[in-house]
Amino acid sequence: MKHVLLFSSILLAISGCSLSADAPPLAEQRSDLLDADNDGVINARDLCDDTPNIAVIDNDGCPTYLLHESDNSLRIQFANDAAIVETAYLEALDKMTEFLKLYPETSLELQGHTSSIGSDDYNSALSVRRAEAVQAQLIERGVDAKRITILGLGEGDLMLADSTETTQLVNRRVVGRVKGLKGDIKEAWTIFTRREQ
């Protein structure tokens, strides 16, 4: 039996029969299946490049943001027929400046308002002057003018009916509203995360 197997092997070697197969064809990759920023979402589906490693991400590979508890609005009252920012509001302007510097992706909309005393045209112009006075204070503190927009609403958005001096004072205001604030990135849980007790 040994001789038969040996003879068969010799015949195969002499006849030139080969046992090797052709190389398999290379698969064509149609999408980028890599994950360049290591956030667990492949590049083909990732809408946010360079996601921070500590961030909790959504299905699009974008970080989740936390809303701020702090008040990031501005409210300044004005005297009758005046567009001068009083010194009592300088601290509020300092805080808004710091906030805007901390979040450079944001902008600020200043809405000027008046009481109903006076004509519509005059009050509209006065509301713009009030908003410009607040804008000037912020620019003086280092805020880029391009980040501030002005909206003069005149007497078109009264908070209270103008029946007394107090209600008129409430209506003579500039309100600043921050636009474009996403918040802080929500961090992913790690073994070092401490739970609140």
Side-chain angles (χ1 to χ4, degrees):
M1 186 68 156
K2 275 186 182 179
H3 296 292
V4 173
L5 286 174
L6 181 60
F7 182 70
S8 298
S9 298
I10 293 172
L11 277 178
L12 281 173
I14 294 172
S15 64
C17 190
S18 174
L19 297 177
S20 66
D22 292 333
L26 292 175
E28 182 182 338
Q29 183 172 326
R30 297 182 190 266
S31 296
D32 187 357
L33 302 179
L34 299 175
D35 181 13
D37 57 0
N38 295 318
D39 61 0
V41 178
I42 60 172
N43 294 342
R45 288 188 50 234
D46 201 337
L47 300 180
C48 297
D49 297 334
D50 300 325
T51 306
N53 290 336
I54 61 167
V56 172
I57 58 154
D58 61 17
N59 289 335
D60 296 322
C62 298
T64 305
Y65 291 93
L66 297 171
L67 294 177
H68 285 277
E69 297 290 328
S70 64
D71 181 19
N72 53 28
S73 61
L74 182 66
R75 183 183 175 89
I76 297 176
Q77 302 296 142
F78 288 85
N80 186 38
D81 199 22
I84 298 171
V85 177
E86 296 180 11
T87 57
Y89 297 104
L90 298 183
E91 185 178 342
L93 289 165
D94 290 340
K95 287 182 181 178
M96 179 54 73
T97 300
E98 289 304 312
F99 182 86
L100 292 171
K101 287 180 180 177
L102 191 60
Y103 297 97
E105 77 280 4
T106 60
S107 60
L108 183 66
E109 180 184 81
L110 296 175
Q111 301 174 354
H113 300 269
T114 65
S115 62
S116 61
I117 299 171
S119 70
D120 287 346
D121 290 341
Y122 183 82
N123 284 338
S124 180
L126 178 59
S127 67
V128 170
R129 287 197 313 271
R130 287 176 174 167
E132 288 173 343
V134 175
Q135 179 189 38
Q137 290 284 336
L138 292 167
I139 291 171
E140 187 178 302
R141 285 166 170 73
V143 178
D144 187 349
K146 294 176 188 171
R147 296 177 63 193
I148 304 171
T149 56
I150 290 177
L151 189 59
L153 298 176
E155 59 186 80
D157 189 19
L158 298 175
M159 288 188 67
L160 299 171
D162 278 349
S163 57
T164 66
E165 174 58 32
T166 303
T167 56
Q168 291 171 7
L169 174 63
V170 169
N171 289 322
R172 296 188 302 254
R173 68 199 187 279
V174 167
V175 177
R177 301 198 189 285
V178 173
K179 305 285 184 180
L181 176 65
K182 292 181 180 178
D184 290 328
I185 292 174
K186 183 176 181 182
E187 293 186 7
W189 184 88
T190 68
I191 61 170
F192 303 105
T193 304
R194 297 188 65 179
R195 292 184 181 174
E196 293 182 11
Q197 301 295 329

